[in-house]
């Protein structure tokens, strides 16, 4: 007599691929999905076609734990070639941490990268303009791209801007060989650009953002050599909500930041000026009056902000909820008093005890503003949650 289980197995194997794919897509556990692919070659093929995310154990961009490849941490061109041939419907690929991967490793993207929407190449030191050209020619649907510490130049960015028009999130931090020319190509052609990081790009002045799209809402340019015209260019689109420009060294006059006071920064909610030691009262007064939507402001280690600056913040920043004033040498009892009587929506104040602020003044602040949480810790990053998707 035939075994009923054998008949059942036969029925399963006769199911069309569409039905098997439907079953696979309803497996919640990663272990079940792996077991599905181990059944036979046909089922493995279905599993491969359904794979959407891929990253490696060497990757420090943790996108999806279930997408980890259980392989050696050193990824060769041949290994990547085989994987891209196997998984031809990938939507997200992270090669971050593959420090020895050459440009040739991306040569399959023109054939198998048409569905990629997210690509992470952080610390891929061997990737240059040649590799980026492969990305440009094969990944026209790309939305998220991280090139942190890659050896790309303006030529690579120009190629990218001509093909990847759907780009929204771009990380160019520590790409030391790019200039305003490459950034201009991106900002002019990629009109959906939403968030960009250019921190530690020493050759950038910011001028490349002139005429940028209003969709650009989040920008980090820490430790860049931005010029006053560059700040105006960054704000020219009128959509900036988060701006981080810590360690500005040139802002000593009110005219340097006049763009912030003439309506270009009306939507600005989070502003990071940390370690901008030369920003003085005139600049602070300009920003306080010109940014009605400002909710969080980091002025830690801004030594030239004095009483007039603190009084202006207290008088004009009606929507300010979080203020960072750690290690500000010229924040004294009178400045703290101004903050105490103003900023009615303030809920968190990051402040470090110093010789300029007496214990009595701090206790009076706590008594008068019991709803304000006083924190002595110093926050290095105030980037809003979800601002960048890499």
């Amino acid at each position: 007599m035939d075994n009923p289980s054998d008949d059942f197995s036969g029925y399963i194997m006769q199911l069309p691929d569409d039905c098997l794919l439907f079953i696979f897509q309803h497996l919640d556990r990663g272990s079940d999905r792996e077991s599905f692919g181990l059944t036979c070659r046909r089922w493995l093929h279905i599993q491969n076609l359904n794979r959407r995310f891929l990253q490696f154990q060497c990757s420090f961009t943790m996108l999806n734990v279930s997408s980890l490849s259980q392989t050696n941490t050193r990824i060769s061109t041949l290994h990547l070639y085989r994987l891209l041939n196997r998984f031809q419907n990938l939507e997200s690929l992270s090669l971050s941490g593959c420090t020895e991967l050459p440009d040739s490793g991306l040569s399959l993207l023109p054939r198998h990268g048409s569905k990629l929407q997210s690509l992470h190449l952080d610390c891929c030191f061997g990737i240059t303009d040649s590799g980026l050209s492969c990305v440009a020619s094969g990944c026209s649907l790309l939305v998220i791209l991280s090139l942190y510490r890659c050896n790309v130049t303006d030529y690579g960015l120009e190629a990218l801007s001509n093909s990847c028009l759907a780009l929204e999130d771009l990380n160019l931090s520590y790409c030391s060989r790019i200039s305003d020319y490459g950034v201009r190509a991106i900002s002019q052609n990629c009109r959906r650009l939403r968030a960009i990081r250019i921190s530690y790009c020493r050759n950038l002045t910011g001028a490349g953002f002139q005429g940028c799209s209003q969709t650009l809402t989040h920008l980090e340019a820490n430790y860049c050599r931005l010029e006053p015209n560059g700040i105006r260019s960054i704000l020219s689109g009128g959509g900036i909500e988060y701006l981080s420009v810590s360690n500005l060294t040139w802002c000593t006059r009110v005219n340097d930041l006049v763009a912030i006071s003439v309506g270009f920064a009306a939507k600005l909610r989070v502003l990071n000026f940390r370690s901008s030691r030369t920003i003085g009262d005139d600049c602070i007064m300009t920003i306080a009056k010109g940014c009605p939507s400002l909710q969080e402001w980091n002025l830690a280690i801004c030594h030239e902000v004095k009483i007039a600056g603190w009084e202006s913040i207290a008088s004009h920043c009606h929507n300010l909820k979080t203020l960072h004033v750690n290690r500000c040498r010229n924040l004294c009892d009178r400045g703290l008093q101004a903050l105490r009587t103003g900023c009615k929506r303030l809920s968190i104040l990051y402040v470090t005890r110093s010789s300029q602020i007496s214990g009595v003044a701090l206790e009076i602040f706590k008594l008068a503003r019991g709803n304000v949480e006083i924190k002595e810790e110093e926050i290095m990053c105030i980037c809003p949650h979800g601002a960048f998707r890499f």
Side-chain angles (χ1 to χ4, degrees):
M1 185 173 181
D2 293 337
N3 190 332
S5 63
D6 292 337
D7 294 338
F8 180 75
S9 299
Y11 294 143
I12 287 291
M13 297 307 292
Q14 292 176 24
L15 288 175
D17 287 354
D18 288 347
C19 290
L20 291 175
L21 178 60
F22 182 81
I23 294 172
F24 177 81
Q25 291 174 339
H26 282 76
L27 297 176
D28 296 328
R29 294 190 302 177
S31 58
D32 290 339
R33 288 177 169 240
E34 292 299 325
S35 297
F36 182 98
L38 294 174
T39 305
C40 63
R41 290 181 180 274
R42 181 183 171 214
W43 288 30
L44 177 62
H45 179 66
I46 291 173
Q47 181 193 42
N48 291 342
L49 291 180
N50 197 64
R51 185 117 186 194
R52 297 293 182 265
F53 306 93
L54 180 64
Q55 65 188 83
F56 300 93
Q57 292 176 343
C58 59
S59 174
F60 43 76
T61 306
M62 193 58 63
L63 305 175
N64 187 335
V65 175
S66 65
S67 68
L68 276 174
S69 172
Q70 303 299 319
T71 60
N72 193 297
T73 57
R74 296 187 63 180
I75 309 303
S76 66
T77 299
L78 178 60
H79 184 205
L80 185 58
Y81 181 89
R82 289 173 175 171
L83 287 173
L84 290 179
N85 263 317
R86 177 181 172 184
F87 307 119
Q88 297 185 15
N89 292 320
L90 290 177
E91 295 177 359
S92 178
L93 174 63
S94 176
L95 299 172
S96 297
C98 298
T99 56
E100 300 179 9
L101 184 70
D103 288 324
S104 58
L106 304 180
S107 60
L108 262 191
L109 289 182
R111 289 175 55 191
H112 298 311
S114 62
K115 296 183 180 180
L116 271 184
Q117 297 178 28
S118 175
L119 178 61
H120 294 74
L121 298 172
D122 300 354
C123 294
C124 292
F125 305 130
I127 300 301
T128 67
D129 291 338
S130 178
L132 196 54
S133 294
C134 293
V135 174
S137 60
C139 309
S140 60
L141 298 182
L142 207 59
V143 174
I144 302 169
L145 176 62
S146 184
L147 298 171
Y148 174 82
R149 288 188 182 272
C150 287
N151 288 308
V152 298
T153 72
D154 293 336
Y155 297 107
L157 294 185
E158 188 172 23
L160 191 72
S161 71
N162 290 329
S163 302
C164 300
L165 304 183
L167 200 62
E168 295 181 8
D169 289 39
L170 179 61
N171 187 0
L172 297 173
S173 295
Y174 286 94
C175 292
S176 59
R177 302 174 65 189
I178 65 173
S179 71
D180 291 320
Y181 179 86
V183 169
R184 182 177 293 107
I186 293 291
S187 66
Q188 293 301 311
N189 294 339
C190 303
R191 304 302 289 179
R192 298 182 186 178
L193 193 65
R194 185 194 67 88
I196 186 170
R197 278 179 171 155
I198 55 171
S199 296
Y200 294 91
C201 294
R202 302 291 187 176
N203 294 326
L204 297 184
T205 69
F209 288 100
Q210 181 61 42
C212 60
S213 172
Q214 191 175 5
T215 61
L216 183 59
T217 55
H218 298 81
L219 187 143
E220 282 188 0
N222 301 320
Y223 292 85
C224 291
R225 295 174 180 172
L226 299 180
E227 296 179 356
N229 182 55
I231 293 289
R232 287 191 288 271
S233 298
I234 287 172
L235 297 172
S236 63
I240 292 292
E241 298 176 10
Y242 165 65
L243 178 62
S244 182
V245 286
S246 63
N247 201 48
L248 282 177
T249 57
W250 47 260
C251 290
T252 57
R253 305 180 307 277
V254 63
N255 289 336
D256 291 343
L257 292 171
V258 68
I260 297 183
S261 65
V262 294
F264 287 117
K267 296 181 180 180
L268 189 63
R269 295 185 294 108
V270 182
L271 179 59
N272 183 15
F273 272 171
R274 188 180 184 277
S275 294
S276 298
R277 293 174 173 82
T278 61
I279 290 182
D281 289 339
D282 287 342
C283 291
I284 295 300
M285 293 165 66
T286 298
I287 295 169
K289 295 175 182 177
C291 300
S293 300
L294 199 61
Q295 296 179 12
E296 182 169 5
W297 198 351
N298 191 344
L299 292 170
I301 323 179
C302 292
H303 298 317
E304 294 305 311
V305 183
K306 301 177 182 177
I307 292 174
W310 303 122
E311 290 179 342
S312 181
I313 292 172
S315 300
H316 300 288
C317 294
H318 303 299
N319 291 309
L320 195 65
K321 297 179 180 179
T322 305
L323 180 61
H324 306 251
V325 295
N326 308 80
R327 293 191 283 164
C328 290
R329 293 176 183 171
N330 284 302
L331 176 61
C332 58
D333 288 357
R334 185 175 166 186
L336 191 62
Q337 179 184 359
L339 296 177
R340 186 186 79 216
T341 56
C343 299
K344 297 302 183 181
R345 295 191 178 183
L346 192 67
S347 59
I348 302 176
L349 179 65
Y350 291 91
V351 58
T352 306
R353 293 182 180 272
S354 69
S355 58
Q356 300 296 320
I357 302 177
S358 67
V360 173
L362 196 57
E363 289 303 318
I364 292 176
F365 185 99
K366 292 178 180 179
L367 288 172
R369 299 293 299 272
N371 60 321
V372 178
E373 185 178 3
I374 303 294
K375 296 187 176 183
E376 293 192 18
E377 61 187 295
E378 188 169 341
I379 304 299
M380 305 297 290
C381 176
I382 62 171
C383 177
H385 178 72
F388 298 94
R389 292 177 289 180
F390 38 65

